[in-house]
Amino acid sequence: MKAEWFDFELPERLIAQTPLPERTASRLLTLEKATGRIAHHTFRDLAAYVREGDTFVFNDTRVMPARLIGVKADTGAKVELLLLKQLEGDRWETLAKPAKRLKRGTEIAFGDQAGTPLLRAVVEEEGEMGSRIVRFRYEGIFHELLDRLGEMPLPPYIKTRLEDRERYQTVYARHTGSAAAPTAGLHFTESFMRELQDKGVQIAYVTLHVGLGTFRPISAENVEDHEMHAEYYRLDEANARMIREAKQAGRRIVAIGTTSARTLETLGGRYPDGNIEACSGWTDIFIYPGYKFRMVDALLTNFHLPQSTLVMLVSALAGRDAVMRAYAEAIEREYRFFSFGDAMFIY
């Protein structure tokens, strides 16, 4: 399967640079799996597509202010670290820029206070494509320092400064650990979630701490040769019971975002009998056409990068041809794309 089969031309003007003033004000494209039928709505029209007993599964991860700007301790040269994954203790996998300056043993200083950095990092390992393993040194509480020194890690295609940090968080974000937002959830407000519950929708949560590898276009020519980065997930007992009972009763499970979908399908592989239990672990599941879904019946998602693993996941659920037609129609009608863009509901 060729990666280029999932390519398309996207005018730069359609890449949303800022969130809309109202979270639920975006547009909504719907795609019916069985027929390929496409329709166009506003996001609040999603309420017309729900069924009593549907279980909506949200990813309640919270984005870290994971972008740190510092200087090399020996030369004062400016460098940037993007925190991707906590390994153990104060060791982190990061993405460095410019990486070529950061050799093993290099020390980086952040947040000078009266001549003393508030935070230091020492490079312990050099990886590929700008990856660096660093160990942080500090006094106090790391996440408090990160809140003070870090910036929100907006994707590189967003050039406009985000005035309100919380607009890159979902309203239900709880567990800090992501390098990127689960963007399908950005469309929801607390009041709209209550409206869905009033129509008989059950709401469950999983946690998947999102890494940047999920969003990048794949570099391999053949889809099957691509390797996903592992991401940490967690499911508690109350939400496991809700998802388990919905599946056993034959009720529809609606994934809110591809991160929720990947977590649900990881659970489906871990518990093939459907007896989902509380658990945690790491997943590198890669879903592309030919994959048979075990858990997800419907999906709410945004519009994704060409040749990305997320376009492939969506194509696995609805069919590549149908998805490419839907994307072509969205471009023709000038939908807003990517993180702050419009939404798509596949049912």
Side-chain angles (χ1 to χ4, degrees):
M1 187 179 299
K2 300 297 184 183
E4 65 185 21
W5 297 352
F6 302 89
D7 198 10
F8 55 90
E9 292 291 331
L10 180 68
E12 189 172 346
R13 69 179 185 280
L14 299 186
I15 300 174
Q17 293 296 311
T18 57
L20 295 174
E22 168 56 42
R23 287 180 183 263
T24 59
S26 65
R27 298 163 73 185
L28 177 70
L29 182 149
T30 59
L31 174 59
E32 188 175 21
K33 290 185 293 183
T35 64
R37 179 178 175 270
I38 297 168
H40 303 277
H41 308 273
T42 60
F43 183 77
R44 295 189 66 86
D45 293 330
L46 178 65
Y49 284 83
V50 304
R51 305 171 187 168
E52 186 174 355
D54 280 351
T55 297
F56 276 38
V57 182
F58 294 83
N59 180 8
D60 63 4
T61 188
R62 186 171 179 83
V63 185
M64 301 179 292
R67 184 171 177 257
L68 287 167
I69 309 296
V71 296
K72 289 181 64 179
D74 56 351
T75 67
K78 181 180 175 181
V79 294
E80 175 183 325
L81 290 185
L82 182 62
L83 307 189
L84 298 181
K85 182 167 64 180
Q86 186 174 13
L87 300 177
E88 69 278 332
D90 292 319
R91 292 183 82 238
W92 285 76
E93 178 186 352
T94 71
L95 192 64
K97 189 170 66 173
K100 63 183 180 181
R101 295 181 181 175
L102 301 180
K103 305 299 183 183
R104 183 177 299 181
T106 302
E107 183 174 295
I108 310 162
F110 305 94
D112 188 272
Q113 186 176 54
T116 302
L118 295 173
L119 182 67
R120 296 177 183 268
V122 177
V123 178
E124 293 192 339
E125 297 180 28
E126 299 177 42
E128 298 178 351
M129 299 177 66
S131 173
R132 294 292 184 272
I133 305 299
V134 306
R135 185 182 296 276
F136 286 103
R137 298 173 181 170
Y138 54 92
E139 292 183 4
I141 299 172
F142 179 75
H143 281 288
E144 289 184 358
L145 289 171
L146 195 60
D147 279 339
R148 180 174 175 180
L149 301 174
E151 299 178 8
M152 201 56 73
L154 294 178
Y157 48 75
I158 294 179
K159 312 298 183 185
T160 304
R161 181 179 175 83
L162 182 63
E163 297 299 329
D164 179 5
R165 272 178 153 188
E166 287 302 304
R167 287 310 307 273
Y168 196 57
Q169 304 280 13
T170 63
V171 297
Y172 49 82
R174 292 185 180 89
H175 304 292
T176 300
S178 277
T183 55
L186 297 178
H187 300 283
F188 288 86
T189 60
E190 292 173 348
S191 63
F192 187 58
M193 293 172 73
R194 287 193 297 269
E195 181 181 327
L196 295 175
Q197 288 177 297
D198 290 343
K199 292 177 69 70
V201 169
Q202 297 187 66
I203 289 179
Y205 297 96
V206 296
T207 303
L208 179 82
H209 291 324
V210 187
L212 294 186
T214 302
F215 297 92
R216 288 174 172 162
I218 72 171
S219 56
E221 180 180 348
N222 296 319
V223 170
E224 297 87 347
D225 294 334
H226 178 69
E227 293 185 10
M228 295 286 287
H229 288 108
E231 296 166 316
Y232 178 78
Y233 71 91
R234 186 174 68 84
L235 176 69
D236 64 27
E237 178 52 43
N239 287 291
R241 181 173 63 252
M242 191 180 301
I243 295 168
R244 179 175 66 242
E245 291 176 353
K247 194 64 180 176
Q248 291 174 346
R251 298 196 299 270
R252 190 169 64 163
I253 293 181
V254 180
I256 304 303
T258 56
T259 63
S260 294
R262 293 179 65 245
T263 308
L264 285 164
E265 291 305 310
T266 297
L267 295 171
R270 184 167 179 170
Y271 301 101
D273 60 356
N275 192 27
I276 306 296
E277 298 179 5
C279 60
S280 63
W282 295 85
T283 180
D284 60 358
I285 188 170
F286 181 19
I287 298 173
Y288 53 87
Y291 177 86
K292 302 300 182 185
F293 284 82
R294 295 182 172 98
M295 298 292 295
V296 174
D297 300 302
L299 171 68
L300 181 84
T301 185
N302 281 16
F303 293 92
H304 304 293
L305 286 164
Q307 296 194 54
S308 64
T309 61
L310 304 184
V311 170
M312 294 168 193
L313 184 154
V314 172
S315 298
L317 183 63
R320 174 193 167 276
D321 291 346
V323 169
M324 291 297 103
R325 284 198 307 273
Y327 269 56
E329 198 160 316
I331 291 169
E332 182 181 354
R333 291 175 177 249
E334 299 199 333
Y335 274 65
R336 303 167 81 242
F337 272 64
F338 305 160
S339 297
F340 291 137
D342 294 317
M344 178 179 186
F345 183 54
I346 300 170
Y347 65 102

